[in-house]
Amino acid sequence: MKNPIEHLNKIFDNRIRLGVMSTLMVNEEINFNDLKQLMDVTDGNLASHLSTLEEHGYIKVHKGFIGRKTNTTYSITKAGEKSFKEHIEALEAMIKGIR
């Protein structure tokens, strides 16, 4: 029997990172506060997961201002999109293969 988890990406094991990547797959970009509200997590918790995704090259961080307030938005990279699609395909294969 083949190893059913062989092609899963460990970075996407965490539910918050999975949620962030899922959100970015269907949205061109999203700002920190909207993402925090959507994921229902604290600033620090979200920031640490976003840092992990950024360090692996899966997301891009865009820092700017709206008026005098800082605005940080996130978007998915081509590498992030490719890796996440592969992860989803591996999950689907695992589900189909376990019967």
Side-chain angles (χ1 to χ4, degrees):
M1 181 175 181
K2 282 178 65 176
N3 180 349
I5 62 172
E6 177 181 12
H7 298 291
L8 296 179
N9 187 324
K10 183 118 175 89
I11 298 302
F12 306 132
D13 279 355
N14 181 277
R15 69 181 187 88
I16 295 168
R17 291 192 293 266
L18 183 69
V20 168
M21 293 300 289
S22 297
T23 300
L24 291 176
M25 287 292 286
V26 297
N27 292 282
E28 199 169 306
E29 68 177 16
I30 190 166
N31 73 38
F32 184 88
N33 288 329
D34 290 343
L35 199 50
K36 181 178 89 165
Q37 185 177 7
L38 182 66
M39 296 293 125
D40 192 26
V41 293
T42 64
D43 287 9
N45 196 354
L46 180 58
S48 74
H49 290 292
L50 290 168
S51 290
T52 298
L53 292 170
E54 183 184 14
E55 287 167 9
H56 284 85
Y58 296 148
I59 64 170
K60 283 189 258 185
V61 180
H62 312 276
K63 294 187 182 260
F65 289 90
I66 296 179
R68 292 179 178 224
K69 292 180 102 176
T70 59
N71 184 48
T72 304
T73 59
Y74 303 88
S75 61
I76 198 164
T77 64
K78 291 289 183 197
E81 190 172 336
K82 181 180 183 289
S83 293
F84 194 67
K85 282 180 180 178
E86 289 170 353
H87 180 73
I88 296 301
E89 288 168 4
L91 280 172
E92 289 172 345
M94 182 179 74
I95 291 166
K96 290 175 185 172
I98 300 175
R99 293 186 188 220

